[in-house]
Amino acid sequence: MTYEAEVRQGAEVRPADLYAELFGTQASTLEVVSTGRLSQVGARPPIRTYLAQLWKRRHFLWAEARAKVTSGTRETLLGQAWLVINPVLNGLAYYLIFGLVLGAKGGIPNFLGYLIIGVFLFQFTTQCVTGGAKSIASGRNLIRAFSFPRASLPISVVLRGILNLAPTLGAMLVLILVLPEKEHWTAAAVLFPAVLVLQVLFTTGLALLLARAASALPDLNQLISVLMRFWLYGSAVFFSIERFENYPWIVGIMEANPMYMVLDASRDTLLYGAVPALSTWIGLSAWAVGTLVVGFLVFWRAEESYGRV
């Protein structure tokens, strides 16, 4: 008997029976999902869940950072050699201008080593800060297409900076050992990695903080390069802080500068065979941990806003 005949005779045909008659299989069971089991796309998860999501993606972040480091220099003849050549050329320019023309090297033992450490380490912070501030705008398409913790974007920038820093550090250490005045490291040199870790933590927090600020105020990206130049001059990269000994307030501001602490501690351990002062360790640790915690919390609280960039 056909379906039309059954209808004409008033027979009841259930939807599941009709499905089976048409397709030869039993209809699948439908489940009613309550709204309590649904979650908003792009909503900010609890901070512990957010940290767990970031940790689960650590291998992807590292692989993505390596791929971008490789592709960033693929179109040049010298390739990744530019990671070393750039800071060397910058150091040479600063040496000619400040060391020879302006006479800033006066009174600084091993001015070449002093300058090399300042230029190489400050460049790492500059790359991470400027890249971190632009990370949300640069990842706009990813944000709109996929659901993932947005902190991955500025953290990925810092990971690329660390990968770029590896050959740069190697060149820096070689230059310190071979250029006049040659240095002979002491046991204090083993403390340099600890200084570097604190710099990475501080820079990561700053990248997160500026990523949040620049997403809310895109014009900030235009100011960062100028602000970084002021920060460069205020970190004693190519002159001694003793030049301002007659201005105690300037000395106080510079000594509270976290990048000055990084450079001063690095020079103590690598150039002068001295253990950095306890006040430097305490101040730098406070800057590193405080900036990382504040930067992460500020970024996390605005998680839902990044989908509207």
Side-chain angles (χ1 to χ4, degrees), residues 27 71 73 101 108-109 140 222 308:
S71 63
T73 55
V101 177
I108 300 179
R140 181 181 295 112
Q222 306 301 322
R308 299 190 293 268

Side-chain angles (χ1 to χ4, degrees), residues 96-115:
L96 293 175
I97 296 172
F98 293 95
L100 299 181
V101 177
L102 300 180
K105 66 178 181 178
I108 300 179
N110 194 349
F111 179 72
L112 271 176
Y114 185 96
L115 181 63

Side-chain angles (χ1 to χ4, degrees), residues 36-207:
R37 295 173 57 187
L38 300 177
S39 60
Q40 179 184 347
V41 176
R44 183 185 68 204
I47 192 166
R48 293 182 64 178
T49 304
Y50 195 74
L51 288 169
Q53 291 174 353
L54 283 172
W55 180 251
K56 286 175 60 178
R57 288 165 174 80
R58 64 191 185 280
H59 299 299
F60 170 77
L61 290 175
W62 189 252
E64 190 263 353
R66 291 177 58 186
K68 286 194 174 181
V69 167
T70 303
S71 63
T73 55
R74 186 175 296 163
E75 297 179 358
T76 60
L77 293 176
L78 297 179
Q80 294 189 4
W82 282 108
L83 300 176
V84 176
I85 295 173
N86 269 330
V88 169
L89 292 178
N90 287 335
L92 178 61
Y94 289 136
Y95 178 77
L96 293 175
I97 296 172
F98 293 95
L100 299 181
V101 177
L102 300 180
K105 66 178 181 178
I108 300 179
N110 194 349
F111 179 72
L112 271 176
Y114 185 96
L115 181 63
I116 287 170
I117 290 175
V119 171
F120 279 53
L121 294 185
F122 197 90
Q123 178 175 274
F124 165 72
T125 298
T126 300
Q127 290 176 345
C128 294
V129 167
T130 54
K134 297 175 182 178
S135 61
I136 297 299
S138 300
R140 181 181 295 112
N141 292 334
L142 283 175
I143 291 174
R144 290 174 176 172
F146 302 101
S147 177
F148 63 96
R150 314 309 191 201
S152 303
L153 297 173
I155 289 175
S156 177
V157 171
V158 176
L159 290 177
R160 293 201 298 272
I162 292 173
L163 290 173
N164 287 334
L165 182 63
T168 302
L169 279 180
M172 182 188 80
L173 297 177
V174 169
L175 290 173
I176 291 174
L177 288 175
V178 301
L179 289 178
E181 308 162 6
K182 296 180 181 179
E183 289 296 332
H184 301 284
W185 290 336
T186 66
V190 300
L191 296 175
F192 173 66
V195 178
L196 202 60
V197 168
L198 292 176
Q199 182 187 5
V200 170
L201 293 179
F202 167 73
T203 303
T204 304
L206 196 58

Side-chain angles (χ1 to χ4, degrees), residues 204-236:
T204 304
L206 196 58
L208 288 164
L209 198 60
L210 288 177
R212 167 68 187 106
S215 69
L217 185 63
D219 291 352
L220 183 61
N221 286 312
Q222 306 301 322
L223 298 175
I224 286 179
S225 59
V226 177
L227 297 176
M228 292 302 299
R229 195 170 298 118
F230 279 106
W231 198 10
L232 175 76
Y233 296 142
S235 299

